[in-house]
Amino acid sequence: MPEGPITTIIRKKLTAALAPVRLEVEDDSGRHAGHHHEGGVDGHAGGESHFNVTVVSAAFEGQGRLQRQRTVNGLLREELEGPVHALSIRALTPAEADGA
């Protein structure tokens, strides 16, 4: 199944900024269809409103969990202000990913 436009944007932004050794972007919108959100109900058929992201990057070295979350949220600020209602982030260093 081809990626949707929001998934592609998320992948491109995170790749450009973090040069990840692993990046997984999962559109989880299907599990949330019809849920109520501020400003209305998420009912668009195309989904792309809820995502699970796993990003493994050396850029996270020396950063705590909260700073990593802030980094990813900052990179995707525009999407979070628009079509993306929920973003679950798993941000790891390569060493952490090898041990996980």
Side-chain angles (χ1 to χ4, degrees):
M1 188 165 129
E3 282 188 356
I6 303 302
T7 303
T8 300
I9 289 168
I10 290 171
R11 185 175 304 283
K12 284 181 179 179
K13 285 186 173 186
L14 295 180
T15 298
L18 301 173
V21 294
R22 188 172 106 216
L23 177 60
E24 298 169 13
V25 181
E26 176 192 8
D27 180 358
D28 196 31
S29 304
R31 292 183 352 124
H32 302 277
H35 284 194
H36 290 271
H37 297 286
E38 277 186 42
V41 175
D42 174 28
H44 36 299
E48 295 208 279
S49 61
H50 294 70
F51 289 90
N52 298 317
V53 171
T54 299
V55 58
V56 179
S57 174
F60 296 132
E61 295 286 348
Q63 292 184 359
R65 183 175 175 268
L66 183 58
Q67 182 57 42
R68 295 173 190 191
Q69 301 278 323
R70 287 179 176 159
T71 297
V72 173
N73 283 330
L75 292 168
L76 302 176
R77 178 178 20 254
E78 188 176 331
E79 289 70 32
L80 289 166
E81 290 174 354
V84 177
H85 295 290
L87 180 65
S88 169
I89 302 166
R90 187 166 181 236
L92 305 167
T93 65
E96 291 168 337
D98 289 342

